[in-house]
């Protein structure tokens, strides 16, 4: 096209017999690698909480009527201090908590292998009176985060009616 006019053409049928095409793509993406995130271990964090509890840091939080959430280790320390659980029982449960790996829990509870699926079907043809192209597609993507997905349906239709040699109607 001249003088700066841009002409956009869409897909058209090429043969008189209908052509049918089907495409399918499936891709997988593994869970994100959380091992390179540097953070304090559960055991070190619990030791920090034990030191803060011994210094009375959590006393205001425990007595607060709004009852802000406390970690399981602080709740066990408080229960042992109040006598609702034995010190030996609290220590055993705290030792079990020290073995927790937050990154493994995150991977297990929040992440999954992402699966991206794409399907499409196209039908096209070209007769003396009609040139047509029909396409339909479906994308179904499951992201790495559990509970999130993406679906998309696409439909494209192009028809060119040939009324005469000089007159064509695009629908």
């Amino acid at each position: 096209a001249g003088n700066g006019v841009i002409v956009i053409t869409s897909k058209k049928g090429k043969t008189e017999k209908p052509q049918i095409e089907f495409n399918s793509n499936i891709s997988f993406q593994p869970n994100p690698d959380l091992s390179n995130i540097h953070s304090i271990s559960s055991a070190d964090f619990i030791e920090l909480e034990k030191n803060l509890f011994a210094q009375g840091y959590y006393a205001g939080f425990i007595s607060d009527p709004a009852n802000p959430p406390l970690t399981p280790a602080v709740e066990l320390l408080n229960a042992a201090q109040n006598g609702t659980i034995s010190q030996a029982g609290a220590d055993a449960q705290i030792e079990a908590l020290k073995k927790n790996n937050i990154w493994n829990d995150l991977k297990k509870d929040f992440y999954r292998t992402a699966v991206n699926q794409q399907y499409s079907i196209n039908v096209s043809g070209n007769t003396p009176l009609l040139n047509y192209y029909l396409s339909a597609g479906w994308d179904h993507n499951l992201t790495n985060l559990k509970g999130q997905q993406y679906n998309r349906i696409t439909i494209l239709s192009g028809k060119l009616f040939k009324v005469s040699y000089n007159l064509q109607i695009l629908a």
Side-chain angles (χ1 to χ4, degrees):
N3 297 329
V5 176
I6 298 173
V7 177
I8 299 173
T9 60
S10 60
K11 294 184 177 185
K12 298 178 183 177
K14 295 179 179 126
T15 62
E16 192 166 323
K17 290 184 180 180
Q19 285 187 315
I20 300 173
E21 295 178 6
F22 177 76
N23 294 311
S24 173
N25 295 314
I26 298 176
S27 63
F28 300 92
Q29 181 180 3
N31 287 342
D33 182 16
L34 302 176
S35 64
N36 61 357
I37 299 174
H38 303 290
S39 67
I40 189 170
S41 69
S42 297
D44 290 342
F45 186 75
I46 289 172
E47 285 301 318
L48 175 66
E49 285 185 316
K50 285 170 79 174
N51 289 333
L52 290 172
F53 186 84
Q55 296 173 15
Y57 176 78
Y58 292 106
F61 294 108
I62 293 169
S63 62
D64 187 351
N67 196 13
L70 300 170
T71 65
V74 172
E75 293 204 5
L76 286 168
L77 292 169
N78 186 46
Q81 186 179 40
N82 291 339
T84 56
I85 188 173
S86 69
Q87 188 63 45
D91 289 341
Q93 290 184 42
I94 287 173
E95 286 303 313
L97 287 172
K98 285 182 178 182
K99 294 176 184 172
N100 284 350
N101 183 338
I102 186 67
W103 303 122
N104 289 340
D105 292 343
L106 279 172
K107 281 179 96 169
K108 179 182 69 162
D109 296 332
F110 291 99
Y111 290 102
R112 65 178 170 208
T113 299
V115 180
N116 300 321
Q117 303 172 58
Q118 295 178 319
Y119 304 97
S120 69
I121 188 164
N122 308 320
V123 178
S124 63
N126 188 8
T127 66
L129 298 177
L130 174 67
N131 186 312
Y132 60 92
Y133 182 86
L134 304 170
S135 175
W138 178 51
D139 293 352
H140 178 67
N141 300 328
L142 299 175
T143 66
N144 280 106
L145 287 172
K146 289 182 179 179
Q148 290 187 346
Q149 66 180 12
Y150 169 75
N151 285 301
R152 179 177 72 165
I153 295 174
T154 56
I155 298 174
L156 173 68
S157 172
K159 296 175 282 299
L160 181 65
F161 298 97
K162 303 170 190 171
V163 178
S164 69
Y165 180 75
N166 292 330
L167 179 62
Q168 298 177 348
I169 300 173
L170 181 63

